[in-house]
Amino acid sequence: MKIGCHISVGKGLEQAARRAVELGAESFQVFTKNPRGLKPKKLDKEDAAKGVAVMREHDLTLVCHTPYITNLSTPKQDLQEVTIRSILEDLNIAEAYGAVGAVVHCGKHVGEGEAYGIRRMIETLDLILEQYDGPVKLLLENTAGQGSELGLSIDSLMEIRAALRYPEKVGFCFDTCHSFAAGQWNLETFDQLVEQMKASGYLQHLVAIHFNDSKAPFASQKDRHEKIGKGEIGSEALAKFLRSEVFAHLPVILETPVEDEQEYADEMVYLHQLRQAGQPD
């Protein structure tokens, strides 16, 4: 298991990778571009190569994240076209960065209904994936269920993946806060969650975990991240992910609220303590 955190890439990938090392991260996540927009970003190939070299030197695993504003289910033709271009760019940036995947939020049906939203999402994903043949997987992230968000449950995510023309190009990123807020798991149902992941086939396509506590209560359908042990999920429940052998091969990345990235250093130490507390002497 590679415990890490989200890091700013504003000064380039090389600096982000070095920052990850300074903080004690074993994995890290960066945005491919401004998280609040779809404006194209010019790739600095020299910086990308230097960043990849630092990652190899320190055995760092990188996950990229596409902009929040992306909506795979938009009913507007012009926005769908912009979304397709944007995510193709994200995948190419992630590839240059040596990332294992590029996380994308599931679609929002924006009042058109769940059935329409899922159909549109599948259509958009197919149009993206037919144009990308690189090694980076597009990682669908489960949602909390705010507004008209799709992709709350493991079963719905697996159904979306199965309906794609290129399912082999798609994996998953599991967010602990989103799933808790969607009413999918808590301390008492962790084992059932793992069994569902195994039985559905989801687990074999899981590439990364976003590790967050939740400010909002169970089944609230509100996406509000909190520091580990300070929220409604609690350390006891979250530690089960850290101690479970089925997740031991994955990058586990903090997206908890911080004023400064330095705060992640202490939080990652805490995660290692939680994990080791469940190991035999």
Side-chain angles (χ1 to χ4, degrees):
M1 181 173 286
K2 290 188 173 183
I3 292 173
C5 61
H6 186 93
I7 292 179
S8 171
V9 73
K11 295 181 179 178
L13 181 65
E14 181 186 9
Q15 285 300 107
R18 294 194 184 283
R19 182 64 169 150
V21 174
E22 289 173 7
L23 294 173
E26 300 162 330
S27 63
F28 68 111
Q29 176 178 269
V30 300
F31 282 114
T32 48
K33 57 171 82 83
N34 186 326
R36 303 295 176 185
L38 299 178
K39 185 178 178 180
K41 175 182 176 180
K42 185 177 180 180
L43 174 64
D44 185 335
K45 294 183 180 178
E46 183 179 352
D47 168 67
K50 289 179 179 179
V52 170
V54 173
M55 288 158 50
R56 286 176 178 162
E57 179 185 355
H58 295 279
D59 192 27
L60 288 168
T61 296
L62 174 67
V63 175
C64 281
H65 201 304
T66 65
Y68 292 134
I69 198 172
T70 300
N71 182 8
L72 294 168
S73 299
T74 178
K76 297 181 180 179
Q77 187 63 31
D78 59 337
L79 286 181
Q80 186 192 44
E81 291 171 2
V82 170
T83 297
I84 291 167
R85 286 199 301 271
S86 179
I87 295 181
L88 281 169
E89 181 186 42
D90 296 330
L91 285 166
N92 286 312
I93 291 171
E95 183 175 340
Y97 283 2
V100 294
V103 178
V104 63
H105 286 187
C106 286
K108 298 174 183 173
H109 63 72
V110 291
E112 297 292 328
E114 184 175 340
Y116 171 87
I118 289 174
R119 286 198 307 272
R120 187 67 162 173
M121 183 175 166
I122 291 166
E123 174 192 320
T124 305
L125 286 168
D126 278 340
L127 290 168
I128 293 165
L129 298 171
E130 71 180 7
Q131 300 177 66
Y132 179 73
D133 289 317
V136 177
K137 289 198 172 186
L138 194 59
L139 307 181
L140 302 181
E141 181 175 359
N142 59 300
T143 59
Q146 290 190 147
S148 64
E149 285 180 342
L150 304 166
L152 278 72
S153 72
I154 285 169
D155 286 343
S156 66
L157 288 165
M158 284 299 291
E159 287 168 6
I160 290 167
R161 184 181 184 277
L164 296 172
R165 282 184 285 157
Y166 310 95
E168 71 280 1
K169 299 181 182 182
V170 169
F172 300 110
C173 175
F174 182 82
D175 189 298
T176 56
C177 169
H178 296 176
S179 187
F180 175 84
Q184 303 295 318
W185 85 284
N186 57 17
L187 175 62
E188 289 74 26
T189 60
F190 173 81
D191 291 338
Q192 290 95 305
L193 174 73
V194 172
E195 286 308 310
Q196 185 186 14
M197 286 182 172
K198 290 179 180 178
S200 65
Y202 176 94
L203 186 61
Q204 69 187 84
H205 304 296
L206 183 59
V207 176
I209 293 176
H210 283 168
F211 204 66
N212 306 298
D213 211 323
S214 175
K215 286 182 180 176
F218 179 70
S220 62
Q221 295 194 325
K222 292 181 180 179
D223 180 5
R224 301 287 186 274
H225 295 189
E226 181 57 282
K227 288 191 173 184
I228 305 305
K230 305 292 186 182
E232 295 287 328
I233 303 176
S235 296
E236 183 181 357
L238 287 164
K240 287 180 174 288
F241 282 92
L242 302 175
R243 298 169 188 167
S244 174
E245 285 301 313
V246 301
F247 304 120
H249 62 295
L250 298 173
V252 171
I253 295 170
L254 289 163
E255 293 181 316
T256 52
V258 294
E259 294 293 327
D260 187 285
E261 288 174 353
Q262 188 61 42
E263 295 173 47
Y264 281 133
D266 290 338
E267 199 166 12
M268 286 186 286
V269 169
Y270 181 50
L271 264 58
H272 283 288
Q273 292 171 344
L274 284 176
R275 187 181 184 213
Q276 291 162 3
Q279 304 296 326
D281 295 332

